[in-house]
Structures are given as C-alpha cells and as structure tokens.
Amino acid sequence: MIGLRSSPTWLVTTLLVSSVIVLGCDNGDASPGGGGGSGGVAGSGGSGGDGASVELVIVAHGRTARLLDVTGGTIQELSSAEIPSPGLLDGHQILSASVEPGRQRIFVGSANDCSARNDVGWCHGNGRIDRFTYTQTSITYDGLAYEMNDAAFQADGIACAEGTEADTGYLGQEGTCAPVGLAMSPDGSRLYTLERGSNDVGLFAVDPSSGELSFLAEGGPAGSSGVGAHPDGTHVYHGSHVFDVSSDMVVRIHEGQSGNAAEVIEGVPDLLVTTLDVSALGVFDLTDRTAPVEIDSLSLGSGEVRDQAHNQALTRFVVVGQDSVRTLSFDGASLAAEHGQVTVNPQPQQNRAVALTGENDELAVVAFFRAGSGDPIANGGVTLYGIDGPTGRLTLLDEADFDGPGRVALSVIAR
C-alpha cells in the first residue's frame, strides 16, 4: 500500500481484515486521491478547501461496508451497503479492501471464513472481488468484479479456484481462494491480491470504466495477509519479500520476511514499512527497491503487530494487535515505544486494522473483532482514539459495535 498524501481533497489508503475505510474531507467538492494497498495507512492531509473539516471512515464488517463520520471524536454511521447474499454461504466475510486511484470506488476481497462459525466444517473458498462506490454521504454496492470459482480456474488457470463442491467436500463451496490482501497500482490499471488459499500474489488488469477485472498472472510463495505496491508500478512487497510485476508476470526476486502490512513511502531514499510476521514493525531502506535493507525493527510480542499507520512526518507509528494499541516514535534511524493501551476481555479483542486521520494526525481509527482461541469470530467494530502530539499518549474517544460475527478491514481516505 502506498501511504502518500495528495494535496487537496482526498487521500486514499487501505487496511486489512473486514473493511474499514476512513475518509477525511472538507465541505467542498470531493475528488478521489491516489491509491493504496492493504496494510498500514498514512495520516490525513491538511485542512483543504475553505470549509470545515469532516473526517469519514468506511468500515467493512462481515459482508457490509459502512460509511462512518468520526468528526469531533465521535462515531456516527451515515450509510451502509452489502454484498448481495444469494449464493453466498453463511460464513462469507470481507477480508480486504483497496481504493481505486482517481475514482471514488473501492474493491473488496471476500471468501468463506473457517473462523466465522464453529458448527460448519468448510474453511476458505468461494473467493471473489466486489466493488463499492462512495460519496461524502453514502456508499453503494457496485457489482461483482471477479469470481474465483472453478469456472475461473478452467478459463484463467487461477490455482486456488480449482474444484467444485464434489472436490472440496462442502455443499456450495468451490476452490480454496481467500483474497486476504489487496493493493492497486498507482495508475489504477492493476490490482494485486494475496491469496491465502495458494500463498500466491495475484495480478489483475482493471477496466477503468466498468471496474471489471481480468486475471493476468500469479506467483509466489508469499504468506500472511498484506501486499503493497511501489509507486513506480514495477514491484510489489509482502513483508520484505519482493515481487517483480513489471511485465504483467509475478516473479519473486527477493526472499525476506512475511508481514501483514507492507507500505512504500517515496523519499530519499524510498522506505518500506511493514509488520514482520505479527510480532514486530520494520522500516527498510529501498535505495535498491529489489533488496530492502533493514534500518530498524522493534518486536512487541506475538500477535501484537497486525497493522500499522503513521503520521505525515513519519515520526510516529501506531501499531495494533491482540488486545493492544501502541504508539512508537521514529527518528529516521530507530524505533522506540511511546505509549500503549492493553486490554483483557473475556474474549480477546483482535485489533486488525488502524488508520490515522484528522488535520494533525490526531485521530487513530482501529477496526477490531472479538474472538477467543479456538472460538468462532464474534462481533466486530471500530474504536476511535485521540493521540497527544508531544507524547503519543492515547485517549479512548468512542467505540461502535456491529451486530453479528464479522472480520474487519480498514481504508482511509483523507483530504
């Protein structure tokens, strides 16, 4: 995912695990900004325009995408839409989301989720990618972009889609596809996926008008969940693994470490920021974009670094994981812990996505679901924190719970 600020209007970034998208906008006309990928999220831009600032969030929970207003440190739902349920099994969940550069349209990856219920034997499969469109006041379902069923395997050869219910053994399920990571090229012409079913990075061409997807290639191995695209459109990162996609092929050219939230930040040099597995945050020098060199990493504990977001100056990170939300400082050479909130609930709270918004990156939006070890996923929701600029101290401002089991993914669209 690319965490860059566009000057006026909208900046787009995306996070992973159900779907949450945060949109910060002014009260003038809105136009979409650049695209991102799954993983960490950049902070919002300046105030933009002459009107009052409004901070919006899109959260995908279960099969539903919700547009939320978080202005002033409170959470208010403005609109919602969902993937139509006919033909979908009960455990079908949105797993990832990415905003299309230059358009007010998002793509979401979804599949049957083996963690959604404990009385059903199937696991991941029936993967698909759908579209939603959005405005400052509403979100609308925009149709199926690509279905990862056995017909797709027969036509395109996408590996994880192979097999009907006769092969999978579960009524209504085809293949093992689960697109747990999505990212878009900076020009919006390509969509990259990370498939849990095959541990491959997938490459799709995007029809600019209809949003239909055409499968081009896949390659691996990868792992975990997140992918991020380099601004030059030639390389994709999963953790510190590097894939060359310059010729509409997917070729792994550097073996690194898996991670959930890869993001490339343009600069001198370019930087790669990513979680490392689910226990550490790493910052890498991309002077050679084909071979990331670690600047520093900070380990916080197993399961406690699922996603990251950072402010515009890249001096502060917010990392989230099981029962924890933490701020870290970064001076260009080393990471250090600042402040943390750790909670213990009857069911652990799986904080899976985070984004920063607000004029001064002072709001942290955290998407979560609740689930115990070996238990089915319970309800999900969003928590809103205020961040103290000098110290990084977190203050709980508001929380919204959504009924029913559902994973969560987060995207941020700020001025």
Side-chain angles (χ1 to χ4, degrees):
M1 129 180 226
I2 304 165
L4 305 178
R5 302 203 186 209
S6 53
S7 37
T9 56
W10 303 65
L11 162 70
V12 181
T13 51
T14 56
L15 296 78
L16 157 71
V17 191
S18 282
S19 310
V20 179
I21 299 174
V22 177
L23 311 105
C25 56
D26 56 45
N27 62 4
D29 293 336
S31 62
S38 63
V41 176
S44 62
S47 56
D50 297 326
S53 173
V54 177
E55 307 298 331
L56 302 177
V57 180
I58 297 175
V59 179
H61 171 257
R63 295 193 291 264
T64 302
R66 305 171 187 269
L67 178 65
L68 310 178
D69 184 344
V70 298
T71 307
T74 61
I75 302 171
Q76 177 184 1
E77 182 169 329
L78 303 179
S79 177
S80 66
E82 66 177 28
I83 301 173
S85 59
L88 301 182
L89 299 183
D90 289 347
H92 205 93
Q93 306 277 303
I94 294 174
L95 304 173
S96 55
S98 186
V99 182
E100 182 178 3
R103 296 179 184 271
Q104 290 174 218
R105 181 165 63 193
I106 67 172
F107 290 87
V108 300
S110 63
N112 295 332
D113 187 348
C114 57
S115 300
R117 289 171 55 184
N118 61 0
D119 60 341
V120 176
W122 43 250
C123 193
H124 292 113
N126 285 24
R128 53 189 281 159
I129 300 173
D130 291 83
R131 303 180 304 268
F132 290 84
T133 57
Y134 59 85
T135 68
Q136 294 183 17
T137 58
S138 66
I139 187 165
T140 305
Y141 179 71
D142 190 46
L144 175 66
Y146 190 88
E147 188 170 12
M148 299 171 177
N149 54 15
D150 191 63
F153 168 74
Q154 300 297 333
D156 298 333
I158 182 169
C160 62
E162 181 179 10
T164 66
E165 62 183 36
D167 305 295
T168 64
Y170 305 118
L171 183 64
Q173 179 163 312
E174 297 191 17
T176 59
C177 291
V180 293
L182 294 184
M184 298 204 74
S185 63
D187 65 1
S189 67
R190 297 293 183 267
L191 178 73
Y192 312 108
T193 65
L194 194 147
E195 286 296 337
R196 179 169 289 167
S198 60
N199 282 333
D200 283 339
V201 173
L203 173 60
F204 294 81
V206 183
D207 184 291
S209 56
S210 69
E212 294 297 308
L213 300 178
S214 300
F215 178 74
L216 297 176
E218 61 188 357
S224 293
S225 298
V227 286
H230 195 282
D232 68 5
T234 62
H235 296 91
V236 169
Y237 300 85
H238 164 66
S240 56
H241 297 309
V242 185
F243 297 83
D244 188 317
V245 294
S246 59
S247 301
D248 279 345
M249 301 294 291
V250 181
V251 181
R252 194 170 87 169
I253 59 174
H254 177 78
E255 183 175 355
Q257 189 172 350
S258 293
N260 271 3
E263 175 187 359
V264 178
I265 303 165
E266 285 188 292
V268 183
D270 293 343
L271 298 179
L272 169 66
V273 178
T274 180
T275 68
L276 299 173
D277 294 322
V278 292
S279 61
L281 181 70
V283 181
F284 294 80
D285 184 313
L286 283 184
T287 299
D288 180 354
R289 67 196 61 176
T290 68
V293 175
E294 183 178 300
I295 296 173
D296 194 25
S297 63
L298 183 64
S299 180
L300 296 173
S302 179
E304 296 187 20
V305 190
R306 292 282 186 173
D307 197 26
Q308 65 85 22
H310 58 80
N311 61 2
Q312 181 181 11
L314 205 66
T315 57
R316 172 170 294 134
F317 290 90
V318 180
V319 295
V320 299
Q322 179 171 313
D323 287 329
S324 67
V325 180
R326 290 186 171 93
T327 57
L328 312 178
S329 65
F330 182 61
D331 62 6
S334 59
L335 294 159
E338 281 189 316
H339 184 257
Q341 291 208 356
V342 179
T343 59
V344 178
N345 301 302
Q347 280 190 310
Q349 181 161 305
Q350 306 292 347
N351 298 308
R352 290 299 183 89
V354 59
L356 302 189
T357 189
E359 289 190 18
N360 300 303
D361 306 314
E362 76 279 8
L363 297 175
V365 184
V366 179
F368 68 86
F369 62 85
R370 295 188 175 98
S373 177
D375 294 332
I377 290 173
N379 64 304
V382 172
T383 306
L384 184 63
Y385 292 91
I387 306 173
D388 180 69
T391 67
R393 181 169 292 277
L394 296 162
T395 301
L396 177 62
L397 300 177
D398 201 3
E399 182 174 293
D401 288 325
F402 306 126
D403 291 337
R407 289 190 178 270
V408 289
L410 176 64
S411 297
V412 172
I413 307 171
R415 287 174 301 280

